[in-house]
Amino acid sequence: MSILKEIQEALAVLSIPEKAEFFPRFFKTGKGEYGEGDLFLGVTVPDQRSVAKEYYSKIDLKDLSKLLSSKYHEHRLTALFMLISKFEKTKDLTVKEEIVTFYLNHLSYINNWDLVDSSCYKILGRYAFENQKEYLLKELSESEELWHKRIAVVGTMHYIKKGSFDLTKELVTRNLKHPHDLMHKANGWLLREMGNKNETELIAYLGQYYKEMPRTCLRYAIEKLEENKRQDYLKGRI
């Protein structure tokens, strides 16, 4: 049996019918919704991580491409977990570059918020930070594709973890008024994480932009602030 088939069967065995019924609603797969047409096996994330841990070192990028191109959501997420492990375990820059190129070539399959958020900053964001290639994220932030824009801003999570905030602020500002709620949430989330690392940076950014932020973005951004200060922002008293 091929490694690819082993992985697919391992995931199939872990399928939970109740989850398979629930996930399509949770990930908005109905007509006109952001996850339209996606299919689910009903495998939990911890189980997918277990499968990924067992097989990441055994699968090559050719088979990983087939798994990441699957119509099943759990196949794609498990493939990304394995790709992250491959990236994190190697010290070879050539291998890292190959993985980043692979990631960029498969963006069309990284097409829901959990797929984006689980992978982009651990692969693309980290690579961009460590090799001074911010343009990779900046170019995606200018794309017309929602998921590309979300990959760009969430990708800056690695920058925030390292205490670098300028790229996050730039990309949030670029798409501050994007029409989709998923971008409002992503922008607010990254601003909140910046505030967790350095509240002064968040307060300075809010001072300039909070009155024009979409409400969802603002609520996410100020979630961890002291309650009186939160209310001041929500009621426009600052």
Side-chain angles (χ1 to χ4, degrees):
M1 186 186 300
S2 70
I3 291 296
L4 180 61
K5 190 67 174 176
E6 278 191 42
I7 293 168
Q8 291 170 334
E9 292 202 359
L11 290 169
V13 168
L14 294 167
S15 173
I16 301 170
E18 294 80 8
K19 296 292 185 183
E21 183 179 348
F22 169 72
F23 285 156
R25 298 194 302 273
F26 182 73
F27 287 102
K28 307 296 184 184
T29 64
K31 187 172 178 58
E33 295 183 308
Y34 59 75
E36 181 176 351
D38 207 353
L39 299 178
F40 289 81
L41 297 169
V43 185
T44 66
V45 170
D47 282 342
Q48 291 178 67
R49 290 189 184 278
S50 294
V51 172
K53 183 177 181 180
E54 180 178 354
Y55 287 100
Y56 83 89
S57 62
K58 303 173 185 177
I59 190 170
D60 59 24
L61 291 183
K62 182 178 180 180
D63 280 338
L64 205 55
S65 176
K66 295 175 183 177
L67 193 64
L68 186 51
S69 306
S70 171
K71 62 183 180 180
Y72 289 106
H73 191 101
E74 291 94 337
H75 286 174
R76 302 199 303 281
L77 185 54
T78 302
L80 289 169
F81 288 149
M82 289 192 282
L83 194 66
I84 292 165
S85 292
K86 284 181 175 293
F87 184 84
E88 292 178 342
K89 297 296 183 181
T90 185
K91 294 182 179 179
D92 188 329
L93 181 58
T94 301
V95 175
K96 286 183 180 290
E97 290 174 344
E98 184 180 13
I99 290 170
V100 168
T101 298
F102 177 94
Y103 189 86
L104 292 171
N105 287 341
H106 289 78
L107 289 181
S108 60
Y109 303 105
I110 306 171
N111 57 355
N112 212 314
W113 58 265
D114 62 322
L115 303 172
V116 169
D117 297 355
S118 298
S119 64
C120 65
Y121 73 92
K122 292 184 177 181
I123 296 176
L124 194 57
R126 178 177 173 181
Y127 176 80
F129 178 84
E130 291 179 348
N131 297 279
Q132 297 78 53
K133 294 192 176 183
E134 286 77 13
Y135 75 88
L136 293 171
L137 299 177
K138 291 181 179 182
E139 288 178 356
L140 287 174
S141 76
E142 295 173 350
S143 168
E144 294 302 314
E145 291 289 332
L146 166 66
W147 302 121
H148 292 182
K149 289 181 180 296
R150 186 164 173 124
I151 286 169
V153 71
V154 178
T156 69
M157 180 72 79
H158 189 83
Y159 285 73
I160 291 173
K161 289 177 180 293
K162 296 297 183 180
S164 177
F165 311 118
D166 287 347
L167 186 59
T168 299
K169 291 186 287 186
E170 177 183 340
L171 300 192
V172 167
T173 305
R174 181 174 295 170
N175 286 292
L176 191 63
K177 297 182 180 180
H178 189 277
H180 205 293
D181 190 57
L182 283 172
M183 280 305 298
H184 302 170
K185 291 177 180 178
N187 288 335
W189 170 32
L190 270 293
L191 290 174
R192 184 185 70 210
E193 293 302 313
M194 181 177 75
N196 288 342
K197 194 79 172 177
N198 188 322
E199 188 172 303
T200 301
E201 288 280 351
L202 174 60
I203 297 301
Y205 186 87
L206 291 171
Q208 187 172 359
Y209 291 104
Y210 91 94
K211 289 187 176 180
E212 59 186 276
M213 281 182 183
R215 201 66 169 175
T216 298
C217 177
L218 178 60
R219 286 187 178 278
Y220 271 60
I222 64 177
E223 184 180 5
K224 298 295 181 68
L225 296 181
E226 185 268 329
E227 182 59 23
N228 288 338
K229 188 173 290 186
R230 283 186 66 256
Q231 291 302 320
D232 285 342
Y233 282 116
L234 290 172
K235 295 175 182 178
R237 297 191 297 229
I238 294 179

